[in-house]
Amino acid sequence: MEVDTNGEDESKGGIWALEQKIDQPMDEEAGRLKNMYREKNFSTILLLRLAFQSLGVVYGDLGTSPLYVFYNTFPKGIDDTEDVVGALSLIIYSLTLVPLIKYVFIVCRANDNGQGGTFALYSLLCRHAKVNTIPNQHKTDEELTTYSRSTIHEKSFAAKTKRWLEGHALKKNALLLLVLVGTCMAIGDGILTPAISVLSASGGITIDHPGISTDVVILVAVVILIGLFSLQHYGVDKVGWLFAPVVLLWFLLIGGIGIFNILKYDSGVLRAFSPVYLFHYFKRRGKNGWISLGGIMLSITGTEALFADLAHFPVSAIQLAFTVVVFPCLLLAYSGQAAYLMFNKEHVSDAFYRSIPDGVYWPMFVIATLAAIVASQATISATFSIIKQANALGCFPRVKVIHTSSKFLGQIYVPDINWILMVLCIVVTAGFKNKSQIGNAYGTAVVIVMLVTTFLMILIMLLVWRCHWILVFIFAALSLIVECTYFSAVLFKVDQGGWVPLVIAAVFLFIMYIWHYGTVKRYEFEMHSKISMAWILGLGPSLGLVRVPGIGLVYTELASGVPHIFSHFITNLPAIHSVVVFVCVKYLPVYTVPEDERFLVKRIGPKNFHMFRCVARYGYKDLHKKDDGFEKKLFDNLFMFVRLESMMEGGSDSDDYSLYGQQTRCSRDFFQPDTTNNTFSSVVDLTISSCDSIVPAKSPLTVINSGMSSGQVSSHTEVDEMEFLTSCRDAGVVHIMGNTVVRARRESALYKKFSIDYVYAFLRKICREHSVIFNVPHESLLNVGQVFYV
């Protein structure tokens, strides 16, 4: 790229032109990468295996709903047996419309290359519209194999929707807030599911032994919960194989018992498949029928966990397991309970256990207890996936994430969240002691997550799938009619336990929003306070810098420019390493970045400066493991860049910098950012009269131990430079990281001071440091402190 000295650059000065040459975006480097990554196709045997395994991880929650649905639908008893048929009809159509049609065959198709959950939908939207609140993406990132973004025609309805979304920062923040609300409710789901499932299963003891007190049942449930959460560190892969046979047996048994009860008591309940009985039910019961929808809602709980757990299993396996096993067995189980209640309506509080034949009661009790444990596993696994995604997208404090499977990348374990969930589950179980109130709380959490998913799906259908607006309208209308109906019903039960998920979600929402706010402000600070490379070139004469042996890795959130921490560092210690690499680690709204496309490397300045920029790109599914060898991979890519650079005909650096000698005019570059942006203020006076003034023959920027002149260094061959880099690496690698402290201004409101000075500061203190994530040895770490005010 040539510099037009008579055109636009003339008015902006030589320093501006120099800056454009030195610190260009990495378009060319990104273009050189080969997109070799492809998703593997699953063989039939592997697909069957994954479908079987998914039963133990994904469908436990949905499968154990028969334990408590009829009791929560009729908490005050059944007045008319025809109400049982109406309730069964509602359950049948709820299962058909929501889990089967909406989620398994529509929403699951909106996955982000196999990833599910609200954040996966948000990532898809971030790729198709500029709605990300942290604008750290560049057009080079769109060349990734996994980016999967199609072009939008300017005059299409999708383009209008895109422009509307991008039109104002308020809409971007509203979209993020909607996603965070759905995420927090899903976390609340992960707390309430183990509580109600295990408590309902444990309650079966009292059927055969009525003298056992409620406290004993609670104690049994708490012991089971502690055991369940203690198993999580073994990983979903192992737990799935342990639980899958149990759940398969569970579904076959409840289906078989359902057939037995239908044949024994009343096969006439099958008329509930006619939608006419829906209208009869509401007409007969009125307001009470409407309120009872909060109990019917529990029949489809676990559906959101199904979507969030797509990270663990492929969509085809999820669909196969649901249509062949889960759906028919659930319909038979509910129909069987309804048939039993037609003749035993006084047993509605224990309909599940009462409807079990005497000969198989205790074996069924054991299987039910194990299935309740599995039900909890579904939402726990989903919560881990959600937290990992939120963490990668800057919406949750950094926590330890352990990859538990060498075969499936999405199977993870988050220790801190695991123990927090365990404590909250025990508190809810021991605090309520009543599965009816827990059920009310449970329904509130689930329906809000479903509403959030519906709103996001509308945008997905418009922007990503480019569906006709009529199809979008039909989907939105049907989904919102069903879900808003359920939502209006659960509102009646907010004071009867429904407030619990609202409180839990509010706490998590506050934490996530404060963390995201601090993250955005830190990024803006980096952007506004970054130093131009032209300023760096003038540091030799102005500060008398020396080059010391070794390699300095300067970590920054910027993919261009020099971070403030570097200028802060060399101002206090006027020396830099023989080789300096600016390392930018950034997360993109993609599920993964293939290894061969992860690193971008670029040289900064003339060759004898030995300064590079390396951008490491990760997806929200990618993990930093201790055995990953981040430092080794970085150096491998750096050395590969040097080798490829020497092989390229007419190296870009020599050509580019030969142009700098033509910049013979003098100019001044004043770097004085606006103090309203909360950044530092400095003035740099840099005069350039010739190429020699940029790189003097005896510049202090040369390596002091090399004994070579600038001209000799610039004439190094590839082998010489490789040896030089290797010797510098052997001399020692220092990781220079910023330790930015965020403070609220003195004149800030009290709530802002509390949020920033106490809440955000506390979260920063307890979260994992970047040095731990990248496995940086303490002896090689150098923290550069700085404070800025918001």
Side-chain angles (χ1 to χ4, degrees):
M1 175 182 174
E2 293 187 358
V3 177
D4 183 4
T5 56
N6 299 318
E8 184 184 357
D9 296 345
E10 187 71 37
S11 60
K12 295 189 177 181
I15 297 301
W16 183 87
L18 179 61
E19 175 67 19
Q20 299 307 302
K21 281 295 173 183
I22 295 174
D23 202 19
Q24 293 177 357
M26 294 185 171
D27 303 48
E28 185 179 356
E29 286 72 19
R32 294 175 192 166
L33 292 173
K34 301 295 183 183
N35 297 335
M36 303 292 292
Y37 184 80
R38 293 291 183 275
E39 282 284 359
K40 294 181 180 178
N41 292 323
F42 294 100
S43 65
T44 305
I45 295 177
L46 180 58
L47 184 62
L48 291 173
R49 172 197 162 188
L50 290 172
F52 168 70
Q53 194 177 355
S54 71
L55 291 172
V57 176
V58 176
Y59 290 114
D61 187 6
L62 195 62
T64 52
S65 294
L67 284 168
Y68 43 78
V69 168
F70 275 108
Y71 168 64
N72 282 275
T73 304
F74 303 105
K76 297 179 181 178
I78 300 172
D79 297 326
D80 187 345
T81 53
E82 282 301 305
D83 292 342
V84 176
V85 179
L88 176 61
S89 187
L90 281 169
I91 292 171
I92 290 170
Y93 283 98
S94 296
L95 283 170
T96 304
L97 291 173
V98 181
L100 180 65
I101 297 176
K102 179 187 173 183
Y103 275 86
V104 173
F105 288 105
I106 298 179
V107 175
C108 283
R109 289 185 58 243
N111 65 84
D112 182 15
N113 289 282
Q115 304 303 298
T118 50
F119 267 107
L121 298 179
Y122 181 63
S123 298
L124 279 174
L125 292 174
C126 286
R127 295 209 298 270
H128 288 79
K130 295 177 181 177
V131 294
N132 200 337
T133 51
I134 303 180
N136 64 344
Q137 296 177 51
H138 188 264
K139 61 182 180 181
T140 54
D141 300 327
E142 299 174 12
E143 298 178 11
L144 288 170
T145 307
T146 51
Y147 203 84
S148 318
R149 192 190 74 161
S150 49
T151 2
I152 299 177
H153 298 294
E154 284 298 320
K155 295 181 180 179
S156 64
F157 192 74
K160 294 177 183 176
T161 309
K162 179 176 180 290
R163 285 192 293 271
W164 178 81
L165 266 180
E166 298 172 348
H168 199 277
L170 183 63
K171 295 171 186 174
K172 299 178 185 179
N173 291 327
L175 179 62
L176 176 66
L177 193 62
L178 179 69
V179 172
L180 292 182
V181 167
T183 302
C184 294
M185 283 297 174
I187 295 172
D189 189 9
I191 295 168
L192 295 169
T193 298
I196 190 172
S197 300
V198 173
L199 185 60
S200 299
S202 304
I205 302 175
T206 59
I207 302 298
D208 201 55
H209 297 82
I212 293 179
S213 67
T214 306
D215 292 337
V216 174
V217 176
I218 298 295
L219 181 62
V220 171
V222 169
V223 170
I224 292 173
L225 286 172
I226 293 173
L228 169 67
F229 284 100
S230 300
L231 284 175
Q232 295 303 311
H233 70 280
Y234 289 108
V236 175
D237 190 44
K238 298 181 181 64
V239 171
W241 275 112
L242 175 66
F243 287 165
V246 173
V247 178
L248 179 61
L249 183 60
W250 164 260
F251 277 118
L252 295 178
L253 284 174
I254 62 173
I257 292 172
I259 294 173
F260 172 81
N261 286 328
I262 291 170
L263 297 176
K264 180 180 179 181
Y265 292 103
D266 187 0
S267 59
V269 294
L270 296 180
R271 65 185 187 274
F273 281 86
S274 169
V276 173
Y277 290 91
L278 296 174
F279 301 102
H280 292 335
Y281 179 79
F282 288 118
K283 184 179 179 181
R284 191 168 46 251
R285 297 201 68 194
K287 182 181 176 182
N288 290 331
W290 195 269
I291 294 175
S292 70
L293 286 174
I296 301 292
M297 175 75 198
L298 298 180
S299 65
I300 55 176
T301 54
T303 308
E304 274 297 330
L306 177 156
F307 181 46
D309 276 323
L310 283 180
H312 303 277
F313 303 99
V315 177
S316 50
I318 299 284
Q319 292 174 334
L320 180 64
F322 188 83
T323 52
V324 173
V325 178
V326 179
F327 186 64
C329 289
L330 284 177
L331 293 183
L332 290 171
Y334 286 117
S335 300
Q337 283 189 47
Y340 175 82
L341 290 173
M342 293 294 284
F343 290 89
N344 303 276
K345 62 180 183 179
E346 67 279 1
H347 291 164
V348 67
S349 59
D350 301 300
F352 175 79
Y353 282 112
R354 296 281 186 181
S355 64
I356 298 174
D358 294 336
V360 294
Y361 177 79
W362 282 109
M364 196 62 194
F365 170 76
V366 174
I367 296 296
T369 305
L370 293 175
I373 295 173
V374 178
S376 309
Q377 181 62 52
T379 49
I380 293 170
S381 302
T383 304
F384 290 161
S385 297
I386 288 169
I387 292 294
K388 172 65 179 71
Q389 293 173 10
N391 185 304
L393 296 176
C395 295
F396 200 83
R398 294 182 298 273
V399 290
K400 184 177 183 180
V401 179
I402 298 173
H403 190 199
T404 58
S405 173
S406 58
K407 297 177 182 177
F408 305 105
L409 191 59
Q411 297 185 1
I412 59 174
Y413 166 62
V414 185
D416 301 333
I417 300 300
N418 183 63
W419 303 124
I420 291 173
L421 290 180
M422 185 188 78
V423 172
L424 292 176
C425 278
I426 292 173
V427 169
V428 169
T429 305
F432 277 118
K433 300 182 181 180
N434 187 326
K435 61 184 179 181
S436 176
Q437 288 188 322
I438 299 176
N440 295 337
Y442 194 15
T444 306
V446 170
V447 73
I448 292 177
V449 178
M450 288 183 174
L451 281 169
V452 170
T453 301
T454 298
F455 288 125
L456 293 176
M457 276 300 300
I458 293 171
L459 294 175
I460 292 291
M461 294 177 77
L462 290 171
L463 284 176
V464 183
W465 290 354
R466 319 285 167 76
C467 296
H468 195 279
W469 68 269
I470 294 179
L471 292 176
V472 179
F473 177 78
I474 292 172
F475 171 82
L478 290 176
S479 298
L480 291 175
I481 286 171
V482 173
E483 289 158 12
C484 287
T485 303
Y486 280 126
F487 183 65
S488 64
V490 299
L491 287 178
F492 287 103
K493 299 186 176 182
V494 170
D495 60 336
Q496 302 171 31
W499 57 270
V500 174
L502 300 178
V503 172
I504 293 173
V507 173
F508 274 96
L509 180 63
F510 180 69
I511 291 173
M512 295 172 81
Y513 186 81
I514 292 297
W515 182 262
H516 183 73
Y517 177 81
T519 303
V520 170
K521 290 301 178 184
R522 287 177 64 235
Y523 181 80
E524 289 177 352
F525 170 73
E526 291 270 6
M527 284 294 295
H528 294 146
S529 62
K530 68 179 181 180
I531 309 300
S532 68
M533 279 306 306
W535 185 77
I536 293 295
L537 295 182
L539 287 178
S542 60
L543 292 179
L545 289 178
V546 294
R547 305 297 290 267
V548 296
I551 297 180
L553 301 180
V554 183
Y555 289 80
T556 173
E557 295 184 15
L558 305 177
S560 63
V562 179
H564 183 213
I565 62 164
F566 185 69
S567 64
H568 190 57
F569 168 68
I570 60 179
T571 301
N572 290 276
L573 182 64
I576 54 177
H577 295 85
S578 301
V579 177
V580 176
V581 183
F582 294 104
V583 181
C584 170
V585 178
K586 66 177 181 177
Y587 285 90
L588 302 174
V590 295
Y591 76 107
T592 186
V593 176
E595 284 287 348
D596 57 344
E597 299 180 53
R598 177 154 295 160
F599 290 91
L600 293 179
V601 181
K602 183 179 182 68
R603 187 185 295 277
I604 299 177
K607 285 189 176 181
N608 61 320
F609 275 30
H610 298 299
M611 299 178 76
F612 302 88
R613 181 183 309 284
C614 177
V615 178
R617 304 174 294 183
Y618 289 86
Y620 55 78
K621 184 179 175 182
D622 294 323
L623 295 176
H624 299 284
K625 296 183 289 184
K626 285 189 175 181
D627 55 353
D628 266 353
F630 176 80
E631 183 182 306
K632 181 181 180 300
K633 290 179 181 178
L634 189 150
F635 285 130
D636 287 345
N637 281 272
L638 178 62
F639 292 159
M640 178 65 72
F641 168 80
V642 172
R643 283 195 291 268
L644 291 176
E645 183 189 48
S646 66
M647 292 166 58
M648 293 180 65
E649 196 171 64
S652 59
D653 278 291
S654 57
D655 289 343
D656 287 348
Y657 284 101
S658 65
L659 296 171
Y660 294 153
Q662 301 172 16
Q663 306 295 325
T664 56
R665 58 186 181 277
C666 297
S667 62
R668 290 178 181 268
D669 179 30
F670 293 91
F671 183 81
Q672 192 170 10
D674 187 353
T675 54
T676 59
N677 288 328
N678 308 314
T679 60
F680 71 99
S681 177
S682 62
V683 180
V684 178
D685 185 355
L686 178 61
T687 303
I688 297 182
S689 58
S690 68
C691 187
D692 289 336
S693 65
I694 300 175
V695 191
K698 297 183 180 179
S699 170
L701 288 169
T702 56
V703 182
I704 58 174
N705 294 326
S706 65
M708 300 179 181
S709 67
S710 173
Q712 290 172 318
V713 175
S714 62
S715 64
H716 276 174
T717 62
E718 173 207 346
V719 177
D720 292 335
E721 186 167 19
M722 291 291 294
E723 290 177 354
F724 175 74
L725 291 174
T726 304
S727 65
C728 289
R729 185 179 62 177
D730 295 340
V733 179
V734 176
H735 300 256
I736 303 171
M737 295 186 174
N739 186 16
T740 305
V741 178
V742 184
R743 296 287 183 192
R745 292 174 177 272
R746 242 179 232 180
E747 62 273 16
S748 298
L750 186 62
Y751 73 89
K752 188 173 183 180
K753 287 182 178 179
F754 173 76
S755 301
I756 298 298
D757 294 345
Y758 294 97
V759 179
Y760 183 73
F762 175 73
L763 294 175
R764 285 268 293 169
K765 187 176 181 180
I766 64 172
C767 78
R768 299 190 88 205
E769 296 291 340
H770 279 299
S771 57
V772 177
I773 293 174
F774 295 109
N775 199 27
V776 176
H778 287 293
E779 59 273 13
S780 302
L781 176 63
L782 180 61
N783 274 319
V784 180
Q786 52 187 350
V787 182
F788 86 100
Y789 295 88
V790 296

